[in-house]
């Protein structure tokens, strides 16, 4: 787990993190970025890092449509780098999740995972906020190498 903190500290600037906090007693990290916060938990029993972030709460009028789209998205987990969506709480807040095996953990792998996670999160937030309206969310994608994560998608 110490190696995870080292890698997070090493890539902090590359992912545009404003702060990375480690909570050893909970085996977790909070990665704060200008566009989001990602909570990362180490699950010792399975040897994985579990990434989680709030993706938003759908408008009341389109909750059923959003939930249906999220179930369809979850069915494609093998095409989404293992990113899935879940509901949390009585208000139906959507939470994005992804697991990363520690045996696969290196700097490049963590950069890719966080880039993909944030990319998907920003698109999902825009889509959930509009209730997956017919019109696609207005997002612009750049190369991840341009300016770190903040440059990948602009909403």
């Amino acid at each position: 787990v110490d190696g995870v903190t080292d890698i997070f500290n090493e890539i902090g600037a590359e992912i545009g993190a404003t702060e990375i906090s480690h909570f050893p007693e909970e085996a977790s990290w909070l990665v704060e970025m200008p566009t989001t916060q990602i909570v990362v938990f180490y699950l010792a029993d399975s040897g994985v890092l579990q990434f989680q972030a709030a993706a938003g709460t759908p408008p009341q009028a389109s909750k059923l449509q959003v939930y249906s789209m999220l179930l369809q998205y979850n069915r494609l987990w093998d095409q989404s780098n293992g990113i899935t969506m879940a509901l949390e709480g009585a208000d139906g807040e959507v939470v994005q999740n992804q697991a990363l095996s520690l045996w696969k953990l290196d700097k490049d792998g963590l950069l890719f995972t966080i880039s993909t996670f944030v990319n998907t999160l920003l698109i999902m937030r825009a889509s959930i906020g509009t209730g997956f309206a017919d019109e696609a969310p207005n997002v612009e994608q750049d190369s991840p190498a341009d300016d770190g994560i903040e440059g990948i998608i602009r909403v």
Side-chain angles (χ1 to χ4, degrees), residues 2 5 12-14 20 26 32 52-53 66 86 94 96 101 107 114 118 121 127 130-131 136 138 149 154-155:
D2 292 334
T5 300
E14 292 180 64
I20 299 174
E26 298 171 5
E32 297 186 59
Q52 294 183 345
V66 170
V94 178
Q96 180 174 300
S101 176
K107 178 184 172 184
I114 292 175
V118 171
L121 181 65
S127 298
T130 63
N138 182 19
I149 282 191
R154 294 187 185 100
V155 179

Side-chain angles (χ1 to χ4, degrees), residues 1-15:
V1 178
D2 292 334
V4 174
T5 300
D6 293 342
I7 294 174
F8 272 128
N9 290 333
E10 185 179 340
I11 68 168
E14 292 180 64
I15 62 172

Side-chain angles (χ1 to χ4, degrees), residues 56-58 63 66-67 70 86-95 128:
T57 302
K63 278 190 175 188
V66 170
Y67 296 162
L70 294 176
L87 299 180
E88 185 172 280
D91 66 346
E93 179 183 25
V94 178
V95 177
I128 290 167

